[in-house]
Amino acid sequence: LRFEVHPVNDLMTLLQQGTLDLFVGALTIERPPAGVEFSVIREERLSIICGPKHPLAKRNKIDFKEFSQYPWLLPPSDTEHRRQAEAAFIALSIANVEVAIETVATSTLVPLLTQGNYLTLHSKFLLMPDIKAGRLVALRKLPPETARSLAVFHRPVNELTPLMINFVEN
């Protein structure tokens, strides 16, 4: 097992080349290329997340417009996740978002969010261990318009080992 973080397009290429056996990522509007199959594992909505010392962390009611007052950590502009974030900002009338840091590495989010007044738009499901441990705070789950599917992407089933099939099915 190897855990890596890359943009979905890069992971698709690695999967097609045979460098990866499978990966978990967000299902986009565009379907995967020929030779790549997927299985949806979870439906989710992105959440606005911050560190526990953020000024909004202890607030019960937050107007979406307040989110434009803080710097954001977002994926690079050429990623599907960033396009989802920008669509969410438009849908929620969050204007003038300051993107302070761009990263695809989830592992960098926790230290950056805990040490600054940053916000991010991310999967609550993927960050749940840090939320449960109190290292992160989920402020708002976004409306249904921001829904997405997480999927396991893989080569055709007849090319998978029994262990990989078990992972995909469970």
Side-chain angles (χ1 to χ4, degrees), residues 22 38-41 152-154 157 160 163-170:
L22 51 85
F38 68 92
S39 302
V40 174
I41 58 172
V152 176
F153 295 86
H154 52 85
V157 174
L160 300 181
L163 180 61
M164 288 185 275
I165 291 170
N166 187 47
F167 182 85
V168 170
E169 292 177 351
N170 295 312

Side-chain angles (χ1 to χ4, degrees), residues 99-140:
V99 180
I101 300 173
E102 292 185 337
T103 181
V104 294
T106 304
S107 60
T108 62
L109 290 178
V110 177
L112 290 169
L113 290 169
T114 58
Q115 295 172 16
N117 283 339
Y118 302 110
L119 298 170
T120 194
L121 194 62
H122 210 282
S123 167
K124 186 176 172 182
F125 171 72
L126 294 176
L127 295 176
M128 189 52 70
D130 292 300
I131 293 169
K132 285 184 176 180
R135 291 184 291 270
L136 296 178
V137 175
L139 297 177
R140 296 277 309 253

